[in-house]
Every structure is written in C-alpha cells, then in structure tokens.
Amino acid sequence: MEENDALNEEGLENQENSQETLTKVTGMYKDWFLDYASYVILERAVPAIEDGFKPVQRRIMHALKELDDGRYNKVANVVGHTMQYHPHGDASIADAMVQLGQKDLLIDTQGNWGNILTGDGAAASRYIEARLSKFALDVVYSPKITEWQLSYDGRKKEPVNLPVKFPLLLAQGAEGIAVGLSTKVLPHNFNELIDASIKHLKGQRFKLFPDFPTSGIIDVTNYNDGVRGGKIRVRAKISTLDKNTLVIKEIPYGTNTSSLIDSILKANDKGKIKIKKIEDNTAADVEILIHLPNGISPDKTIDALYAFTSCESSISPLGCIIEDNKPLFIGVKEMLERSTDYTVELLKAELEIQLSELEEQWHFASLERIFIENRIYRDIEEEETWEGVIAAIDKGLKPHTKHLKREVTEADIVRLTEIRIKRISKFDLEKAEQFIESLNDKIAETKHHLEHLVEYAIDYFKDLKKKYGKGKERKSEIKIFDDIEATKVVIRNTKLYVNREEGFIGTSLRRDEYVTDCSDIDDIIVFTKKGEMMVTKVDAKTFVGKNIIHVGVFKKKDSRTTYNMIYKEGKGGSSYIKRFNVTGVTRDKIYQLAGTKASADVLYFTANLNGEAELVTVLLRQSGSIKKLKWDLDFADVIIKGRASKGNLVTKYPVKRIELKEKGVSTLKPRKIWFDDVVNRLNVDGRGELLGEFKGEDLLLVIDQKGKVKTIAPDLLTRFDESMVVLEKWKPNKPLSVVHYEGEKERYYIKRFLVENPNKEEVVISDHAKSFMELVSTDWRPVIEIEFIKPRGKDVKPNQTVHLEDFISVKGIKAIGNQLTSEKVKNINMLEPLPYEEPETKAAEEIEVVDEEAIDADSNKNDEKGNSEQPKLF
C-alpha cells in the first residue's frame, strides 16, 4: 500500500511538471488557418478579374515575355525561368502551362501537347516548345502601364496584374478549388465576347452563353448568367450512320473519348443499353462508332446513351473572382462589363502615355530646329565653363521659344549639347518641318482618341475580331433538350416472374409464371383478388399479397391505361362495376379498391392499354324468386373515374360467374399530337405544329430527302431526322405525288402512288448515283410550274404549268412514272393546289375520360403504363 501511495504521489508530481510545459495553440491555429486559406484563395486557386489569370499563369506569361525573341523555347526552360517568380515545384508550373497551351489562344505550341479530345497527356516538358502567340503579344503586355512588385525572394520584379485588353477570363474559363470556396467560370466564344463588349460600350443589352472546345450540344435554359445555382446540360452529338450503327462526332465538355467509352461499356455491362462493340477512330476529330445488335432501336439507344452514360452531363457554373484581394461572386455579364471597362481604362492610360511621349518628341524636335536653324551652337564657342555654356544656349533660345508648349528646362539644354556635329552639318530644315508636322498630326489624332474614348475602344475590339476572329466561330450548338425519362428508354434487361397463389413477384422466380421483360429501375404494379393494389420497385423476390390477379410494369402519368373491374364488397354484399386509371401512387403503400372489408372479392378484372371497354355476361346463382339470372353488361356505359370511387351497382344478389362475351374497342377520345421542330419530337403538350387527332390504329407518314417513304405509329419516343421533308397523319386513300430525276435516263419524271405496305419502308427513286427527289406533294390535286433553260441562240421557252392529277394516274410505288419533259429544266416550283373537298368520315361514338381520382398528398406523380392481358374470371 505504501509503495502504491508513493507511486501515485510521484505520478501526480510528474503530471504537474508536464502541465507547466503545455502551451495552448488555439489562437495560433486560428491565425495559421486563416493565413493558409487566404493564401490558397488569393495565390493559387482563384483568378483575378483584372487580367483573368491565376498567379502561376501570370508568372508563366511574364516568363515567356522575358524569353521572347520570336523563336520557340523549350517548355522546360520556360518552367525554370518561371520558378524565379513562382515559389513552387516545376511539375505544377508545367501542368499549368500545358493547360494554357491547350486552350490555343495565348501560347503558340510545337510538339505533342496532348489531346483534350482523347485525354492523352502532353510529352515531357523537355520535348515540347512554346512561344507567345501574336494575339498574346497584342493584348496581354504593355510594360509602361504595368504595375510591378518584387518577387517572393526580392530579387526580381513581376507584374501585379498584366494589362490584358480583352475579356480573357471568359474566353479561357477557369476552375479552382480553394479553402472554403471554389470557382468554375466556363469558356465562352471569342467572337461573341468581342461582340458583347462592343454592345456594352454602345449601351446595348447582350447575352453570353458558354462555348466549349470539345464542341457538343448545350442547353443553356438554366445557365442563370453563370452565377451560383445555375446549370447547363451538355450532350454529345450522336447520329445514326445506319440501322445498326451510331456515330459520335462531338463530345460533351468535361469528358474525353476514353472516359466516354468507359461509361458506355459500364452501362452495357449493367444492362441499361445493348451494344455489340465500340470503335474509337478519333484523330484530329472525334469519331466513335457504336455498333448495335439486330433488333435494337437506334433512336431509343441514343436516348438511353443520354440517360445512362456520360453522353449527357450537367455542369454547375460558379462565378467567383478576385478583386482588390477579396473573393467576389458575380455573373458572366458583370465579368464582361468589368473587363470591358478595365480595357477602356488601359487604352486611356496607353493613349495618355502616347500623347505625353509625342508632345515630348515635338518639344525637343522644335528645340533642335531652333538650336540648329538659328545657329545658337556658335554662341558657346567662347564659353569656358559648363555653366556659361548652359546660360549661352538658354539666352539664345529665349527669343524663339514663345510658341513652345512648356518651359525649356536645363535638361532640355543639356540634351541639345549632346547633338553631334555630323547631325548639325546634315540638318535638313524641310525634313525637320515635315517631322514636326507629322508629330502634330499624331498628337491631334491621339487627343481625338482620348476625347472619343468609347468609339476608340469599339474600333479596337473590331480590329481584334478582324485580325484574330477567323476560325474562332462557335463550336457548341445551343439547343433546348427534351427531357428523357430513364424508365422509358432503359433496355428491358431482365425477366419478371410471379407466384400468384403465394403472392410473390421478382426476377429470381424462374420456376414460376413469366410476366414480362423489365429493367432494374422499373416500378411494378400489382392487383390482388382482395381488391388491393400496390406499386413496388423491381427486386429479386418481393411479397405483395396472396392471390395476385394482375402484374405489370408501372408507368407514371399514364391516363390512357384503363382498369375494368367488377367486385363484391364483402361476404353477402352487393357487386359493383368501375373503370379507373392509376396515375400516381406512393410506393409500397397498399390501396383498397374493393372496399375495406376483409372478405371483399374481385370477380372480374382487365388492364387495357388504350381504354378498351369489353362486353361481359353476368350469371347469378339461383336464389329465392330471382327471375333474371343472366344479362349482358357493357363497360363502355361506365364512366372512367378515380380508383377510390365505389362504382355502379351491378346486383345485390350472389354472382355465380362473369364471362367475356365480346372484346372491346377504345372509349378514349383520340389524342391530339404535335411535332416540335426544336427537339424533333412528337408531343401531346401543344408544342409546335399540330399533326391531327390520332386513334389507336392511325399512323404517321414520313418521307425524307433520299426518297424513303414509310408509315409509323405516333410514338412520342421517336426521334426524327433533320433530312425529313414530310411528316403528317397518313390517309390511306390519299395519293402521293413525286417529281424525281432519273439518273440513268437523265430526265425528270412524275409518279403518283398510294402507300400499299404500311409496315414497310420503300424508296421511290432509283438507286442510280445521280437520281434524286426534286419535289414531293401530299395534296389531293397538286400543280407544278416548270422553268426552262435558255438554249444558245434561241428564245427561252415560256414556263409550263402541269396539273399532276391530269398528267398521270395513280400507279404502283415502284413505277418510274411519266417523263415530265425532254427539255433542259432550270427550276421546278410547287404552285397552289387545285381545290378539293375531302369526304367526311363519321366519327365513332366516344367517351371522354373523367378524372375524379383523389391522389394522396404524398403520392409521387410518376409515368405509368400497364400491360394488356386476358381478363381474369373468378
């Protein structure tokens, strides 16, 4: 015990001694962290608004200027020279210089500087060379108006900011992560920046949108002037090479061909898309070929590439810059305005220095002329002292200096004494006067520029565009993107099974009943015989409730899929009939569709994709004095209401069974479909040109410039090609008229025909290399006008009008048609068609959908699309 007490006392004594040596670092840490954060923000990550450079970039440009002799310098040499000003390693300087060189604006590069398209890095800095571009020499440097400071070790002078007379920050873009903040200024188009600067100087409004060196397509709807919270969407440019091949010609900013291909292969491995193989033929331009398996839609694959790969991505800009050693968050519009105003200030400073120098030249040239012309130099011959020489010259000048713009100083007189005898002996008065006159003209011009500074700045920007704007046209195409819903374009990469009796659904139940193909991002809708409904996510195995009567892939916001149901409210209860849609639900929530009684029972159920309403026969059990045990019931007489509605009474007596008597037709109103030429898609939202009202069997007629004619179902997912010349609702009895040039016969022909094979794509011109389609008309009675070429030595033949209905009768689609003329044709013009009244068609009786569905407040509003199946009879 005594030993333990002694140890405890010793331990306490040591602890007290150790406490005496402890020093609190809280304040020290606070100061150090703030110093570090300020250093990273100001000296590394964020560019200055004045010149658009980060410190390392500014020092590289200064080093390049010091080394500039018109020839290329090894990058390693430039990096070493930059290290006199930049207190960091050579690797960071070399990386920054490569990034500057890849922007192809300030640095003229030679050697392998890497490839922003493929992601390949640059060669080692000892193997590549660089020099300043002519543009950089013109706009970045002006030593006389540059503010200088000592370098980090005090041995050299470096610019505080370079006098950049151009919105360089917006042209190059900038990205950096500092402590507590970051910046992401997107690059913009060279010529558009100049145009915007000119508009700002003129007091006009302007808008700026990004332009990326990788080209691609961009949606700037939510750009929000490049401030925090804005967003742009960027897409690769994908087109169809043939029915089994897609080609990517341009890639989104922030990606390269390697990362893009990797993302496509990963999506293929996950089953989101199906591809056969990928070829990367990228060299100077991007070319990625995506080969598709047979039976895979190119249009749908394009949408899937945008939905599941790096072919589409979002970029969130963040306009943060340094001004007066403080971070400032502003938009690109204000950045350009500040840069343009700063350019005007720099131009003014240059003009003022230029004016001062010109006036100084004029002053001394005038003094020199007086000194030599009046032979004042002879007055100093007898002077023996320096003071006497100065006084003699001053005395000799005084009678002749009244017209000078300033006093004559002793420094001026000293400078006169330095004129050589050879210059005095060869002095030419006429040349001296001409020189002074030219200086007067330059002074007047400079003063005019200063008085009209804005006009001078506008001319400066125009001159920049003229000298350097060629080849810097916009690369990224601005377009409004259509939203792609992943569930609509994902490849059905797995199979869905159901165990109806036990109540399980899933992709792993391979021994049970197959339902449909689905994807791993789909929702599944399930109905049970108790009248319960639930929507759940696809999984390997999920319990949803026993005695399943319907399973299907759930598509959100689909108000056309209609469910027909007859149910018994409970044991001994009445039977009801109802029709409803399911447009929005809460996932994994059970909905009671047949009442809340535990003994509720569904007697009849069908899911109908297009609102079909069948005819059924109701058979009752023999009970008491019931006289009518059998009658027909038409679902078309039932109004479509919400899923929570009770429905219409069928009978209060026990039902023996319900039989399907006759399959139904759609009771939904034909839907209007529009074509939006901005996104080249169909829609039902009223955007673009109305194509008409479409029922289930109606088709679209599509004709392209190559003479391909086809009819297709009006699928809202279809992407229409730019070469399409006709898109309208197809009328089977309406003839098409085509004027085409037959290459083999070297003559124009006219043919009229009907589309006889709706499901087959056919070409209406020959496969000769010189054959082409001149005109196509879908009018009932079209009229054309022919203009002829004037024969040599003869009068031109007057224009000929041709009524196609009279010229040729309707023949087969493969017929060559009738020769239009044997004369040489200059032009063929389409005229107003002859009047024609279409026969009226009696519309079928239709029932409008009535949406009375009460959706829960927490319901997710999602697309839905159920699966048709045979009715379930119970």
Side-chain angles (χ1 to χ4, degrees):
M1 287 293 292
E2 292 178 359
E3 185 177 354
N4 289 338
D5 291 341
L7 288 172
N8 289 336
E9 288 176 5
E10 184 180 354
L12 289 169
E13 185 178 350
N14 290 337
Q15 186 177 354
E16 288 173 1
N17 292 335
S18 64
Q19 285 176 349
E20 291 176 1
T21 61
L22 292 177
T23 304
K24 290 185 178 182
V25 297
T26 309
M28 196 181 300
Y29 170 79
K30 181 180 179 183
D31 294 340
W32 288 347
F33 183 79
L34 286 175
D35 289 345
Y36 170 71
S38 300
Y39 172 76
V40 173
I41 292 170
L42 300 177
E43 295 295 326
R44 295 183 67 176
V46 186
I49 185 62
E50 288 84 2
D51 58 6
F53 287 123
K54 297 179 183 180
V56 65
Q57 296 171 330
R58 186 180 301 113
R59 288 160 180 161
I60 289 169
M61 295 301 294
H62 177 57
L64 278 168
K65 178 61 175 173
E66 286 193 325
L67 294 171
D68 182 54
D69 58 0
R71 297 180 295 174
Y72 288 100
N73 289 284
K74 289 281 187 184
V75 168
N77 186 25
V78 179
V79 171
H81 197 80
T82 307
M83 290 179 72
Q84 297 178 89
Y85 307 101
H86 195 62
H88 293 280
D90 59 335
S92 63
I93 299 173
D95 288 344
M97 189 167 177
V98 167
Q99 290 179 18
L100 271 178
Q102 288 178 342
K103 295 180 189 298
D104 194 26
L105 190 61
L106 300 177
I107 300 178
D108 184 4
T109 61
Q110 184 168 270
N112 177 16
W113 281 67
N115 191 329
I116 59 172
L117 299 177
T118 62
D120 296 332
S125 56
R126 61 185 177 276
Y127 298 125
I128 56 178
E129 296 179 321
R131 66 182 177 188
L132 289 171
S133 67
K134 292 181 179 179
F135 173 76
L137 290 168
D138 270 5
V139 306
V140 175
Y141 304 100
S142 185
K144 293 175 183 177
I145 60 171
T146 302
E147 184 183 352
W148 301 91
Q149 64 183 3
L150 290 174
S151 60
Y152 70 96
D153 61 1
R155 288 190 174 95
K156 294 276 188 177
K157 283 188 176 182
E158 63 174 333
V160 176
N161 288 303
L162 286 167
V164 178
K165 300 182 289 294
F166 178 78
L168 190 63
L169 175 58
L170 293 175
Q172 293 192 134
E175 188 171 354
I177 300 174
V179 179
L181 59 82
S182 62
T183 185
K184 195 179 187 76
V185 180
L186 302 180
H188 294 70
N189 181 261
F190 182 92
N191 291 326
E192 290 177 7
L193 287 173
I194 291 178
D195 292 339
S197 292
I198 292 172
K199 285 183 177 179
H200 170 60
L201 291 173
K202 289 181 177 180
Q204 299 173 354
R205 293 182 179 180
F206 63 88
K207 285 187 178 181
L208 286 173
F209 299 116
D211 186 28
F212 301 121
T214 55
S215 300
I217 314 169
I218 61 174
D219 186 341
V220 297
T221 306
N222 299 315
Y223 184 45
N224 195 26
D225 198 37
V227 297
R228 186 173 6 195
K231 183 180 74 171
I232 69 165
R233 295 163 65 189
V234 291
R235 279 184 180 177
K237 186 168 280 189
I238 312 174
S239 57
T240 305
L241 195 62
D242 55 52
K243 65 179 181 179
N244 289 326
T245 311
L246 301 177
V247 59
I248 299 176
K249 288 287 189 181
E250 298 174 9
I251 60 176
Y253 182 67
T255 65
N256 54 60
T257 54
S258 300
S259 63
L260 193 67
I261 290 172
D262 287 344
S263 73
I264 294 172
L265 293 175
K266 285 179 182 177
N268 181 65
D269 293 341
K270 291 179 180 178
K272 299 288 195 301
I273 59 175
K274 279 189 180 179
I275 61 170
K276 196 173 180 181
K277 65 174 182 176
I278 297 181
E279 291 181 56
D280 187 3
N281 299 331
T282 302
D285 299 313
V286 172
E287 183 179 86
I288 301 173
L289 298 179
I290 303 174
H291 299 276
L292 306 178
N294 291 331
I296 297 297
S297 165
D299 292 341
K300 191 172 181 180
T301 304
I302 290 174
D303 283 346
L305 287 169
Y306 289 143
F308 302 115
T309 74
S310 298
C311 288
E312 179 181 334
S313 61
S314 295
I315 300 175
S316 298
L318 178 57
C320 177
I321 49 91
I322 297 298
E323 185 182 54
D324 296 331
N325 287 325
K326 296 176 184 177
L328 179 67
F329 293 89
I330 58 175
V332 296
K333 184 175 182 292
E334 188 174 350
M335 285 184 199
L336 182 114
E337 290 173 349
R338 285 170 179 256
S339 174
T340 305
D341 294 341
Y342 184 61
T343 298
V344 173
E345 290 177 15
L346 293 175
L347 291 173
K348 181 182 179 182
E350 286 184 343
L351 286 171
E352 287 173 343
I353 291 173
Q354 181 182 327
L355 179 61
S356 175
E357 290 175 346
L358 286 170
E359 288 180 338
E360 191 63 23
Q361 286 182 49
W362 181 89
H363 178 77
F364 185 74
S366 299
L367 273 182
E368 184 183 62
R369 175 188 167 188
I370 295 168
F371 182 72
I372 297 173
E373 185 181 1
N374 296 285
R375 302 188 180 189
I376 297 172
Y377 53 85
R378 290 185 176 180
D379 296 345
I380 65 175
E381 292 175 355
E382 297 178 0
E383 299 294 334
E384 296 179 356
T385 63
W386 179 249
E387 291 78 7
V389 170
I390 298 296
I393 295 174
D394 187 33
K395 183 179 179 182
L397 289 174
K398 278 186 178 178
H400 310 286
T401 57
K402 293 179 181 179
H403 69 287
L404 297 181
K405 298 177 181 177
R406 68 171 176 85
E407 296 282 335
V408 178
T409 64
E410 185 176 338
D412 295 332
I413 297 173
V414 171
R415 190 176 172 190
L416 287 173
T417 63
E418 295 170 355
I419 299 175
R420 295 185 179 183
I421 298 297
K422 185 177 180 181
R423 179 174 174 81
I424 293 173
S425 63
K426 290 188 175 182
F427 182 74
D428 187 331
L429 181 60
E430 187 176 346
K431 284 186 177 179
E433 289 178 347
Q434 288 177 357
F435 178 64
I436 292 172
E437 191 61 35
S438 68
L439 288 176
N440 277 324
D441 292 341
K442 290 179 181 178
I443 289 170
E445 183 184 22
T446 306
K447 286 183 176 179
H448 180 270
H449 291 332
L450 281 167
E451 290 169 1
H452 302 83
L453 193 58
V454 172
E455 291 82 354
Y456 176 72
I458 290 171
D459 291 339
Y460 168 80
F461 279 114
K462 287 180 178 177
D463 187 55
L464 277 185
K465 185 176 180 180
K466 184 178 178 181
K467 287 171 68 175
Y468 305 109
K470 189 176 180 182
K472 291 183 170 63
E473 293 77 19
R474 169 166 281 278
K475 292 184 177 181
S476 298
E477 180 186 357
I478 297 176
K479 212 171 184 182
I480 299 174
F481 292 172
D482 50 329
D483 292 325
I484 297 171
E485 295 184 29
T487 54
K488 290 186 176 181
V489 298
V490 67
I491 296 295
R492 302 291 182 235
N493 58 346
T494 187
K495 298 182 183 300
L496 180 68
Y497 302 90
V498 60
N499 184 326
R500 296 182 183 274
E501 186 177 350
E502 297 297 325
F504 287 96
I505 62 168
T507 57
S508 63
L509 310 176
R510 292 182 178 84
R511 295 183 180 180
D512 294 306
E513 179 189 343
Y514 165 75
V515 179
T516 184
D517 288 348
C518 66
S519 74
D520 54 5
I521 65 171
D522 277 334
D523 287 325
I524 304 300
I525 188 168
V526 182
F527 296 86
T528 67
K529 201 167 187 311
K530 288 176 60 178
E532 295 176 343
M533 179 194 78
M534 185 172 74
V535 173
T536 187
K537 200 77 178 169
V538 166
D539 208 340
K541 185 177 181 180
T542 305
F543 178 76
V544 292
K546 292 185 178 182
N547 299 315
I548 297 170
I549 59 174
H550 173 76
V551 182
V553 176
F554 178 70
K555 300 296 180 182
K556 307 154 192 168
K557 298 180 185 174
D558 178 13
S559 59
R560 293 189 75 82
T561 298
T562 305
Y563 300 97
N564 297 340
M565 186 170 83
I566 300 176
Y567 68 94
K568 184 173 68 173
E569 195 173 20
K571 188 174 182 180
S574 301
S575 298
Y576 294 87
I577 182 172
K578 69 178 189 178
R579 303 180 72 201
F580 59 93
N581 307 122
V582 180
T583 56
V585 294
T586 300
R587 190 181 289 145
D588 296 325
K589 177 182 177 180
I590 296 175
Y591 291 87
Q592 304 290 344
L593 305 181
T596 56
K597 294 182 180 179
S599 57
D601 187 23
V602 177
L603 306 174
Y604 179 91
F605 185 90
T606 56
N608 307 279
L609 288 177
N610 205 32
E612 291 82 2
E614 61 268 39
L615 184 67
V616 296
T617 301
V618 180
L619 294 95
L620 302 182
R621 296 183 184 277
Q622 181 64 52
S623 175
S625 59
I626 303 175
K627 296 181 180 179
K628 190 176 182 181
L629 300 177
K630 178 181 177 182
W631 71 93
D632 293 339
L633 191 61
D634 193 347
F635 273 96
D637 297 332
V638 181
I639 296 175
I640 300 172
K641 296 185 178 180
R643 63 168 179 254
S645 67
K646 191 170 186 177
N648 299 341
L649 179 67
V650 176
T651 179
K652 58 183 180 180
Y653 299 108
V655 176
K656 183 178 180 182
R657 66 177 181 274
I658 299 175
E659 298 176 346
L660 175 65
K661 183 174 183 179
E662 185 180 314
K663 288 186 177 181
V665 295
S666 176
T667 60
L668 300 182
K669 184 178 181 180
R671 61 177 177 175
K672 292 181 178 180
I673 295 181
W674 287 263
F675 174 68
D676 187 350
D677 59 1
V678 175
V679 295
N680 285 340
R681 289 292 190 96
L682 303 176
N683 67 87
V684 293
D685 305 319
R687 300 190 309 272
E689 178 189 355
L690 178 63
L691 298 180
E693 296 185 349
F694 288 77
K695 299 178 183 177
E697 67 278 6
D698 289 335
L699 300 175
L700 280 169
L701 173 67
V702 184
I703 307 175
D704 69 9
Q705 292 173 347
K706 296 179 181 178
K708 293 179 182 177
V709 178
K710 61 182 177 181
T711 56
I712 60 171
D715 187 350
L716 301 185
L717 294 179
T718 304
R719 181 186 300 275
F720 293 93
D721 196 80
E722 299 286 350
S723 64
M724 177 184 65
V725 293
V726 172
L727 177 65
E728 63 179 45
K729 185 177 179 181
W730 178 52
K731 298 179 180 178
N733 62 333
K734 188 179 182 182
L736 304 179
S737 304
V738 171
V739 179
H740 64 104
Y741 184 81
E742 175 52 49
E744 184 178 352
K745 300 181 182 295
E746 296 185 344
R747 292 284 189 275
Y748 283 97
Y749 286 80
I750 294 178
K751 61 193 296 183
R752 300 188 78 214
F753 57 89
L754 295 173
V755 177
E756 298 172 352
N757 301 306
N759 299 318
K760 182 180 178 183
E761 180 179 277
E762 297 184 272
V763 181
V764 298
I765 61 175
S766 71
D767 56 2
H768 193 278
K770 293 183 179 180
S771 296
F772 61 87
M773 186 174 68
E774 176 72 19
L775 289 175
V776 60
S777 173
T778 58
D779 294 318
W780 288 94
R781 304 177 67 192
V783 180
I784 63 171
E785 179 187 54
I786 309 171
E787 295 181 25
F788 298 97
I789 294 175
K790 183 180 183 301
R792 183 176 296 177
K794 296 181 181 179
D795 293 335
V796 64
K797 187 177 179 180
N799 294 354
Q800 180 181 345
T801 301
V802 180
H803 296 182
L804 302 193
E805 182 185 27
D806 300 332
F807 188 82
I808 183 173
S809 59
V810 176
K811 299 181 180 180
I813 195 170
K814 294 296 184 183
I816 188 173
N818 293 355
Q819 181 176 303
L820 181 60
T821 178
S822 58
E823 303 287 338
K824 289 187 177 181
V825 175
K826 182 180 179 181
N827 284 316
I828 302 175
N829 306 314
M830 189 68 70
L831 302 180
E832 284 292 322
L834 297 175
Y836 179 83
E837 291 187 8
E838 297 184 40
E840 293 185 6
T841 55
K842 189 175 181 181
E845 190 174 349
E846 298 158 352
I847 298 177
E848 180 69 64
V849 175
V850 178
D851 187 8
E852 297 178 357
E853 182 173 8
I855 300 177
D856 294 344
D858 59 344
S859 292
N860 297 324
K861 292 193 173 180
N862 299 318
D863 268 347
E864 71 175 58
K865 178 183 177 186
N867 290 335
S868 286
E869 65 176 30
Q870 291 298 317
K872 305 295 184 295
L873 308 178
F874 310 100

